[in-house]
Amino acid sequence: MAAKLLAPCFVVLLFLSFLVIYVSAMPSKRRGFFSTIKELNLKGPYIGLITVYSPEEKAFFGTAVFKPDAKHPFLDLSGRKYGVEGRRYRVGKIYGKEVIYVRCGVGMVNAAAVTQQMLDLFDINGIVHFGISLQFE
């Protein structure tokens, strides 16, 4: 009877050993990054706000309706550390509503990538893309 239980116990022990090794091998900054996202999501759901150009961003912040979160006013996803180039998610409120803002950069691929990343990381109720609209003839 004990011999039959030995094999499943060994498999569970082996699995737990690999799990401990994986978690201990993860850089502590990255663990902190994920705990920050988890903490932010407890305040959600959020409305995602996305713009493309710097002038749109300046106009948005120039209205002074965006109030940054006191503890986590922004979350940077930049460089090779997280595999993403230059994303700064700004967390705050607009008229009492929880929002997360990010500037995505020019192009449909950037817009799609940022939208997907926002949906993957944060508790998002809806997303608003806003800014300049151009008409080509």
Side-chain angles (χ1 to χ4, degrees), residues 48-52 104 111-112 115 127-131:
L49 303 174
I50 301 173
T51 60
V52 175
C104 69
T115 302
I127 293 182
V128 177
H129 286 260
F130 66 96

Side-chain angles (χ1 to χ4, degrees), residues 40 43 46 49 60-75 88-101:
L40 287 171
K43 296 179 183 180
Y46 293 92
L49 303 174
F60 171 62
F61 288 122
T63 65
V65 295
F66 179 82
K67 306 297 182 204
D69 185 77
K71 188 172 181 184
H72 301 290
F74 62 87
L75 184 65
R88 174 168 274 192
Y89 289 87
R90 297 177 188 267
V91 182
K93 289 185 178 186
I94 296 179
Y95 299 117
K97 300 289 184 187
E98 299 285 346
V99 298
I100 295 181
Y101 164 81

Side-chain angles (χ1 to χ4, degrees), residues 2-125:
K4 288 182 181 179
L5 292 176
L6 188 61
C9 288
F10 179 73
V11 170
V12 169
L13 183 63
L14 187 64
F15 173 74
L16 289 175
S17 299
F18 283 124
L19 184 63
V20 167
I21 290 169
Y22 173 76
V23 170
S24 64
M26 186 183 295
S28 62
K29 286 183 180 179
R30 192 166 185 184
R31 282 193 299 260
F33 167 77
F34 288 116
S35 66
T36 301
I37 289 176
K38 185 176 181 180
E39 186 178 336
L40 287 171
N41 282 332
L42 291 174
K43 296 179 183 180
Y46 293 92
I47 297 171
L49 303 174
I50 301 173
T51 60
V52 175
Y53 297 106
S54 176
E56 298 166 344
E57 186 174 68
K58 288 177 186 172
F60 171 62
F61 288 122
T63 65
V65 295
F66 179 82
K67 306 297 182 204
D69 185 77
K71 188 172 181 184
H72 301 290
F74 62 87
L75 184 65
D76 280 332
L77 298 177
S78 60
R80 292 192 174 113
K81 188 171 20 174
Y82 302 117
V84 181
E85 293 297 326
R87 305 270 189 256
R88 174 168 274 192
Y89 289 87
R90 297 177 188 267
V91 182
K93 289 185 178 186
I94 296 179
Y95 299 117
K97 300 289 184 187
E98 299 285 346
V99 298
I100 295 181
Y101 164 81
V102 67
R103 181 168 43 124
C104 69
V106 178
M108 294 294 284
V109 173
N110 283 333
V114 168
T115 302
Q116 186 63 56
Q117 186 177 54
M118 187 180 274
L119 290 170
D120 289 343
L121 292 177
F122 302 104
D123 182 10
I124 300 292
N125 245 4

